[in-house]
Amino acid sequence: MKRFPSGHATHPQWRMAVALVLAQLRAQMALPEYASAPTLALLYITDHYASDARDILDALAAELPEVTDWAGTVGVGLAVNNAEYFDEPALAVMLCDLPPDQYRVFSGVAPLGLGFEAHTALVHADAGTPDVAELIDEMAARTDTGYLFGGLASSRATAVQFAVSGDGTIKGHGAASGVFSGGLSGVAFGAGVHLVSRVTQGASPVAPVRTITQVDGSVLLQLDGRPALDVLQADLGITIDQPKGPGLQAAIDTVRATLVGLSEPGSDAVGRSGNFGSDVLVRHIIGLDPARRGVAIAAQPAEGMRLAFCQRNVQAARADLTRICAEIREELESEDTALEAAVARALPGAEPEPRPARTMAGAVYVSCAGRGGPHFGGPGAELQIVRRALGDVPLVGFFAGGEIARNHLYGYTGVLTVFTD
């Protein structure tokens, strides 16, 4: 499998950004190590370009006639190799060289048909779609592995999605012309497309793991048999029950900075590293109920589930992102390849960046819109960590309103997926 051509650009005028991206793609497609005639394109734009989405797709498709299938969405930011675009007009494209019989583009108005056996799927979803979490779970059940990866579109304008298959729009789109809003869209992959994917958490526990012993809808009433509000105060070392003043305001600020990590009964919510495992779903605290000594959260957990109060932590997020990148490299590299790379980096005059693993053709990274550079210490810091760990691998993605991995909808996480031969 050859490397996937990719390009990205920012410019106030979308036509100039398209021209810059096309120049990068064509230059790479002329190189022997890159695919020369890929048929599937992943297209991501920032919300500055949302109103021009159809024109952008039409312009790219006209200049890349060999590309017959398109998928993608919009984000408040874009992720690319070693950089990110936030609060600026930008677009990114990656051309995937995959066997045409091993993938299918689908959308909310043209669902995946029965004639294709899906192994995994890249999913883009509209957060405004009713029961979106249930739709994601249903989509996962339609794949052999139950594994999805992707995220919810994030936009201060229209939450557009791209989905085009064959010589034109997917049958059933009508006037959508490959650009639409609502529902789910993406690409389903067959068993012949090999992927390695990991989830990295952006929050770490600040208190012991508790068991939910009483709950009313979204209001936690008891944790470990004690009033939930009392447990919250004890775990965070604060006092809400006090007169108005600086002390009360400090306590409220602490609660606002606190989240909850939820996991199923019997699960190991916190791994050996002291951080959350990939099975933990992080959700907001949305209110307190002093009358019932309850804590309201942005979820409806069941009794018996595990819960730990948590906060976003820069160092923990950096360490966990480095960890999943290392796991991916270890899974893809043979011992001989890993040794060769280690020796090469130790030689005098060695390049500061690690060489890419031989089997990586491209990658998709979907991160939470609440993460990005500022959360990791500076502009582009999150993607720089990925590049240092994976090497110079073609990568595109976006900053989402929620991240999808397996059949779950996450928050404050990153989902990194690598295409390999």
Side-chain angles (χ1 to χ4, degrees), residues 41-251:
L42 301 181
L43 167 61
Y44 297 107
I45 63 174
T46 59
D47 53 358
H48 294 73
Y49 287 154
S51 60
D52 300 307
R54 186 172 302 179
D55 291 334
I56 290 172
L57 177 61
D58 289 346
L60 287 167
E63 294 293 331
L64 297 169
E66 67 273 28
V67 179
T68 57
D69 304 279
W70 294 80
T73 190
V74 62
V76 294
L78 298 186
V80 298
N81 187 301
N82 209 40
E84 62 190 31
Y85 295 101
F86 262 107
D87 292 322
E88 56 185 329
L91 65 92
V93 176
M94 185 166 72
L95 306 181
C96 306
D97 186 28
L98 302 172
D101 65 342
Q102 288 295 312
Y103 70 85
R104 290 290 185 277
V105 176
F106 64 91
S107 77
V109 294
L112 187 65
L114 298 177
F116 183 76
E117 188 171 346
H119 195 65
T120 59
L122 166 62
V123 175
H124 308 120
D126 189 330
T129 301
D131 302 321
V132 65
E134 287 76 8
L135 292 176
I136 291 168
D137 187 61
E138 179 184 321
M139 182 67 198
R142 298 181 62 186
T143 67
D144 293 339
T145 62
Y147 193 91
L148 308 179
F149 62 99
L152 303 184
S154 61
S155 176
R156 290 159 291 195
T158 306
V160 298
Q161 298 177 51
F162 302 103
V164 176
S165 180
D167 295 329
T169 55
I170 301 174
K171 183 178 180 181
H173 274 171
S177 299
V179 179
F180 63 97
S181 299
L184 273 58
S185 69
V187 187
F189 300 103
V193 177
H194 300 288
L195 304 170
V196 179
S197 188
R198 292 289 188 277
V199 178
T200 178
Q201 295 281 4
S204 56
V206 296
V209 179
R210 309 291 186 181
T211 299
I212 300 174
T213 49
Q214 187 178 357
V215 62
D216 181 11
S218 62
V219 181
L220 305 170
L221 296 177
Q222 288 190 1
L223 299 173
D224 291 344
R226 298 167 53 201
L229 183 56
D230 295 351
V231 175
L232 170 69
Q233 294 184 92
D235 282 353
L236 300 183
I238 61 172
T239 302
I240 299 295
D241 306 316
Q242 60 176 297
K244 289 184 178 180
L248 177 59
Q249 186 58 51

